[in-house]
Amino acid sequence: MELGQLLMNEGLVTREQINLARETQAGLRIDQALIKMGMITEDKVLHTLADELGMKYVDLKDIQIDLELLSRFPTSSIYRHSLLPLYRENGHVVIATGDPLNIEGLDELSTVTGLKLEPVLTRSGELGTRINELLGVGGDTINQLVRRRSEEGIELLEEIEEDFGELAEGAQAPSVIRLVNELLMEAVKQQTSDIHIEPQENGLRVRYRMDGLLRIQPVPQEIYHFYSAIVTRLKIMSHLNIAEKRLPQDGRIKLRVSGREVDVRVSIIPMLHGEGVVMRLLDKARMSFDLKSVGMPPTCMKIFRQLIDLPHGIILVTGPTGSGKSTTLYSGLNEIKDPATKIITVEDPVEYHMDGISQIQVHSRIGLTFAAALRSILRHDPDVVLIGEIRDGETAQSAIQASLTGHLVFSTLHTNDAPSAFTRLIDMGVEPYLVASTVEGILAQRLVRRLCSHCKQQTPVEKIDLPIDFPKPLPEFLYEPKGCRECRDTGYSGRIGVFELLRTDAMIQRMCAERKSSTDIRDYALKAGMTTLRSSGWEQVMAGVTSVDEVVRITRGDIIG
């Protein structure tokens, strides 16, 4: 029976949907076209085909794969046809496929191995993920490199410091380029924020940071032999000095992956066993600079909007690297952006390009530091100034002067909480009375992982180990992570902010001018009703957005001195 007719007979699609899919997705098989257009799910198609063809449908998550059996099959064929041998049964090899009509691939594997194959159906996305887990990202490319090296008798990626041309030539080999591209594409596909490539004494480790946590990404062991060329290729892409292997280097790569623009910030640092590489991926298509999407609770949002509408003063956003500070600041700028307002930013690096805002890239090597740029742009008649980060006393003094001369200044600072920002600025050499009179508000923030909406489960509160500062009265139940294929069995998907907003009042100004400790300022702010990072986290727990364990992992307990 024709495939479209079969799906119609099952009541899964209509004739109109079939015709529309054929018109708009010419060249694709009808079931693939319908799935791509969202008219039917892959699961429904596979279950229908399984019933029609008398095949089994399996969930790979529940299957123990025979690794010895897997090693008998050519990696190139597994990748090319997306087929995965699972185990032996009744004299046959059970092999998973996402396409039961892929007869060519099954025939090829049966001919090459001499084994009888029995195909079973599974989801194609899950199949690709499992193949990568077992054989590693870029496994087919590595096999090509290994074969080429053995055939030609040369070490493409050996350490060559003097022969600059040969090193660059090896790194520009098509297979090396393809391997690097596969690592980047897999990272973008998994919505990774950072890629860590770390040389070890006996190999190479690749880790992807997803939702704030590092996870080991399986790669073939042979990749270590080509590590030098991979680093050189990344240096070439980042416009760095490929001959320099003793000093740290920072660069940037601009990519387009599946039609999406991705900026990659590259940091290369010499380590004990080779050069370590960390790449931060900024996926512009996933970014939304809207205060509503930041996740602030209504009371916090109201105060923050009042702060960014002030005519002058300093507004600080604090937190560790990767806590969403830049996103919050950009969202704030986007909120107040107006043709009548001149906004200038000084950043290192400029992470996101925004229309209607003048952005300056810091170049410390030629003397264009935060402080130097700030001195110059004040003569450029701005209304609002964003300083990427207050790193030293000179930048802090420049920010203070900018606010005193009638400008609204946004910046970030590395402190653990909001009250510590006052003492941090004073420690940088700024006079306490100047800090007290210019800093209008401080927003500390962190990112906690969201519970996966597909698998989060209600748990009676008495079965959860709650810390002593959990708010009373206790609810009947809370949500906990479980794990499913949608969240890669982590129980979490995406992240949301928790916030601690401190608005300066007369008492805080006096305490700051008197050099009171951050603990004293914090105690006063808590008694005055400040919502802390911890209490903001508990609000998200009560709303079913995140879990108790996640808030405990990210924030410290509230203790009033």
Side-chain angles (χ1 to χ4, degrees):
M1 186 184 298
E2 194 266 335
L3 191 51
Q5 186 65 47
L6 173 63
L7 296 176
M8 281 195 297
N9 290 350
E10 294 293 323
L12 299 175
V13 292
T14 64
R15 170 64 67 185
E16 290 74 20
Q17 288 175 316
I18 293 282
N19 293 336
L20 180 62
R22 284 182 172 143
E23 290 173 8
T24 58
Q25 302 291 331
L28 280 181
R29 207 171 65 204
I30 188 62
D31 60 321
Q32 296 170 344
L34 291 166
I35 292 170
K36 184 175 180 180
M37 296 179 68
M39 294 178 176
I40 191 172
T41 65
E42 184 183 12
D43 274 342
K44 288 182 178 178
V45 170
L46 290 176
H47 277 104
T48 302
L49 287 173
D51 291 340
E52 179 70 15
L53 300 173
M55 297 173 66
K56 287 173 61 178
Y57 177 86
V58 301
D59 189 338
L60 291 183
K61 184 173 64 174
D62 304 326
I63 292 178
Q64 184 71 32
I65 294 173
D66 185 339
L67 298 181
E68 188 276 330
L69 174 66
L70 178 63
S71 67
R72 296 186 56 183
F73 286 77
T75 304
S76 56
S77 298
I78 290 175
Y79 274 97
R80 185 166 64 255
H81 298 295
S82 196
L83 296 168
L84 181 60
L86 303 178
Y87 51 83
R88 296 177 186 271
E89 186 177 77
N90 300 327
H92 293 76
V93 173
V94 177
I95 189 164
T97 177
D99 181 5
L101 307 181
N102 180 14
I103 307 300
E104 177 189 348
L106 292 167
D107 286 346
E108 178 182 315
L109 281 183
S110 180
T111 302
V112 169
T113 61
L115 298 169
K116 295 181 180 179
L117 307 181
E118 179 186 339
V120 294
L121 287 181
T122 192
R123 289 176 51 170
S124 56
E126 193 171 297
L127 180 61
T129 299
R130 200 68 194 272
I131 290 174
N132 277 340
E133 287 176 353
L134 293 164
L135 301 177
V137 175
D140 189 27
T141 304
I142 282 292
N143 283 343
Q144 292 179 26
L145 283 168
V146 171
R147 286 196 300 271
R148 176 179 169 184
R149 188 177 64 168
S150 60
E151 290 168 3
E152 299 181 1
I154 61 172
E155 176 75 39
L156 285 178
L157 305 177
E158 61 182 351
E159 291 288 335
I160 305 174
E161 296 188 3
E162 296 170 1
D163 195 343
F164 185 86
E166 186 175 342
L167 180 62
E169 182 182 345
Q172 293 293 74
S175 293
V176 175
I177 292 173
R178 180 179 164 192
L179 178 59
V180 171
N181 289 347
E182 285 180 13
L183 285 170
L184 290 168
M185 289 174 65
E186 182 67 17
V188 172
K189 176 185 172 184
Q190 295 191 32
Q191 298 186 355
T192 299
S193 63
D194 301 85
I195 305 172
H196 293 239
I197 305 177
E198 304 159 326
Q200 309 287 307
E201 184 176 6
N202 299 311
L204 178 70
R205 182 170 67 176
V206 176
R207 294 191 289 174
Y208 288 172
R209 188 180 294 278
M210 291 177 275
D211 291 339
L213 293 180
L214 282 170
R215 300 176 197 163
I216 292 178
Q217 179 65 36
V219 292
Q221 290 185 345
E222 294 84 0
I223 197 173
Y224 180 71
H225 300 298
F226 311 97
Y227 178 60
S228 178
I230 293 171
V231 174
T232 302
R233 171 64 184 163
L234 289 170
K235 286 181 179 178
I236 291 170
M237 294 172 70
S238 310
H239 309 288
L240 300 177
N241 182 357
I242 65 174
E244 180 57 73
K245 300 178 183 296
R246 299 167 299 172
L247 295 174
Q249 297 190 73
D250 294 317
R252 188 171 187 169
I253 307 171
K254 291 186 178 181
L255 301 175
R256 189 183 295 275
V257 180
S258 303
R260 295 153 61 184
E261 285 191 22
V262 179
D263 275 359
V264 183
R265 284 156 50 183
V266 182
S267 174
I268 300 177
I269 298 178
M271 302 288 184
L272 184 61
H273 302 291
E275 292 177 282
V277 181
V278 174
M279 293 177 280
R280 167 156 289 189
L281 278 59
L282 303 171
D283 189 345
K284 295 184 177 181
R286 292 176 54 211
M287 295 308 301
S288 174
F289 299 119
D290 181 3
L291 275 181
K292 294 177 182 177
S293 65
V294 169
M296 285 188 199
T299 52
C300 183
M301 175 75 77
K302 180 180 178 181
I303 298 173
F304 190 71
R305 286 183 187 274
Q306 293 171 354
L307 289 171
I308 63 177
D309 283 333
L310 291 173
H312 56 78
I314 297 177
I315 299 167
L316 297 173
V317 179
T318 77
T321 302
S323 59
K325 300 187 298 296
S326 295
T327 301
T328 299
L329 285 175
Y330 276 118
S331 300
L333 290 182
N334 216 27
E335 188 83 5
I336 62 175
K337 185 173 65 174
D338 184 89
T341 303
K342 173 82 169 186
I343 301 175
I344 303 181
T345 74
V346 186
E347 304 169 70
D348 183 21
V350 175
E351 294 186 358
Y352 303 101
H353 300 278
M354 297 184 68
D355 293 332
I357 294 177
S358 304
Q359 296 173 278
I360 299 172
Q361 169 74 54
V362 167
H363 289 288
S364 301
R365 294 179 186 172
I366 60 174
L368 185 59
T369 61
F370 280 116
L374 194 51
R375 286 194 298 270
S376 297
I377 65 176
L378 290 182
R379 295 190 290 271
H380 218 67
D381 190 29
D383 298 296
V384 179
V385 176
L386 167 65
I387 306 171
E389 182 185 344
I390 296 180
R391 297 176 177 172
D392 51 48
E394 186 180 9
T395 308
Q397 294 284 4
S398 299
I400 296 289
Q401 290 303 317
S403 69
L404 290 173
T405 51
H407 302 88
L408 182 63
V409 179
F410 291 82
S411 190
T412 67
L413 199 62
H414 286 290
T415 62
N416 290 325
D417 58 14
S420 299
F422 292 107
T423 53
R424 180 83 180 95
L425 290 173
I426 294 171
D427 289 342
M428 286 182 176
V430 181
E431 289 294 333
Y433 72 91
L434 289 176
V435 175
S437 61
T438 55
V439 176
E440 297 290 345
I442 302 159
L443 179 73
Q445 69 178 73
R446 299 288 188 279
L447 293 176
V448 295
R449 292 181 293 170
R450 288 178 181 266
L451 287 167
C452 173
S453 58
H454 295 90
C455 66
K456 66 179 182 180
Q457 58 186 8
Q458 286 186 355
T459 305
V461 72
E462 59 267 16
K463 294 185 178 180
I464 301 176
D465 185 16
L466 296 176
I468 58 173
D469 62 349
F470 194 85
K472 306 292 190 299
L474 297 176
E476 290 184 20
F477 61 84
L478 295 170
Y479 284 94
E480 291 284 281
K482 181 181 179 183
C484 65
R485 64 162 61 98
E486 298 293 336
C487 61
R488 301 178 185 273
D489 288 320
T490 63
Y492 298 93
S493 179
R495 290 188 291 175
I496 191 170
V498 293
F499 303 91
E500 175 177 293
L501 180 56
L502 175 59
R503 184 167 190 174
T504 308
D505 61 16
M507 176 58 74
I508 290 177
Q509 286 181 329
R510 192 171 79 184
M511 295 177 75
C512 181
E514 294 174 354
R515 293 180 179 267
K516 295 288 187 180
S517 70
S518 60
T519 304
D520 291 338
I521 297 175
R522 181 180 182 80
D523 289 346
Y524 166 76
L526 287 172
K527 291 171 183 174
M530 179 183 75
T531 299
T532 64
L533 290 167
R534 187 74 154 210
S535 55
S536 177
W538 293 145
E539 290 180 15
Q540 300 289 11
V541 170
M542 301 286 271
V545 176
T546 191
S547 68
V548 171
D549 289 344
E550 185 67 5
V551 172
V552 171
R553 182 179 72 86
I554 292 295
T555 65
R556 69 174 189 178
D558 291 332
I559 301 174
I560 299 179

